[in-house]
Amino acid sequence: EIFLALLAREHDAWAADMEDMASAHDALSAGAFADAFARALEKRACMLKLMCMNLYDMEGNSRIENLVAFKTVYAAAREAVAGCLKKFFPRMSDLDRQEFIYALFPFMFGVYPYTTASEKQKEAMELAHLDYPAYSIYEIVRAFVSRLLRTFP
């Protein structure tokens, strides 16, 4: 429940970042949106780390009132993203926005481990002859969001 509360706080801060982005700009190109979006998500490394942990068990082992509190904040974060998409990409249909969100949110569960490796993990990858390119949260998120938006210039 402590992790879930921390995750809720992080989602709330991220939603505020999305709302700030929407109010700070009248228009954004797909590239500028991907850049701003990636910068905002980069600030939420704690959120991404918690998401890559076993959220399923965190939720399953929490009291219903705490889970509802988290889901309420989570829904607000999703709505903040949807609001940005609606504002900056008016050609997007409701289905387009839903597909963006349902690609983005599962993707976010894996961002942290692909951008942050411990020394032990790096050593294991080296011994296993596994190439480990170093990408930041910003780089991987920006590339992904840019691809999702490539049909919406």
Side-chain angles (χ1 to χ4, degrees), residues 14-88:
W14 182 50
D17 291 343
M18 294 291 93
E19 291 164 1
D20 289 348
M21 183 172 68
S23 63
H25 303 282
D26 292 330
L28 287 174
S29 66
F33 178 85
D35 182 72
F37 189 92
R39 293 275 179 222
L41 201 51
E42 181 179 46
K43 295 186 329 186
R44 306 271 70 88
C46 180
M47 178 180 87
L48 295 171
K49 185 175 184 179
L50 286 167
M51 288 175 73
C52 80
M53 295 167 63
N54 197 347
L55 180 62
Y56 184 83
D57 285 337
M58 273 189 243
E59 291 182 348
N61 291 313
S62 293
R63 289 172 286 172
I64 190 70
E65 61 271 15
N66 293 330
L67 184 54
V68 169
F70 168 69
K71 293 294 186 182
T72 300
V73 172
Y74 177 82
R78 282 183 36 179
E79 286 303 311
V81 172
C84 284
L85 294 173
K86 194 170 194 170
K87 176 178 182 174
F88 298 124

Side-chain angles (χ1 to χ4, degrees), residues 102-124:
Y102 277 85
L104 175 72
F105 277 76
F107 162 83
M108 288 176 15
F109 282 85
V111 170
Y112 190 83
Y114 274 89
T115 60
T116 310
S118 69
E119 291 306 315
K120 186 176 185 178
Q121 289 168 322
K122 290 176 186 175
E123 180 182 357

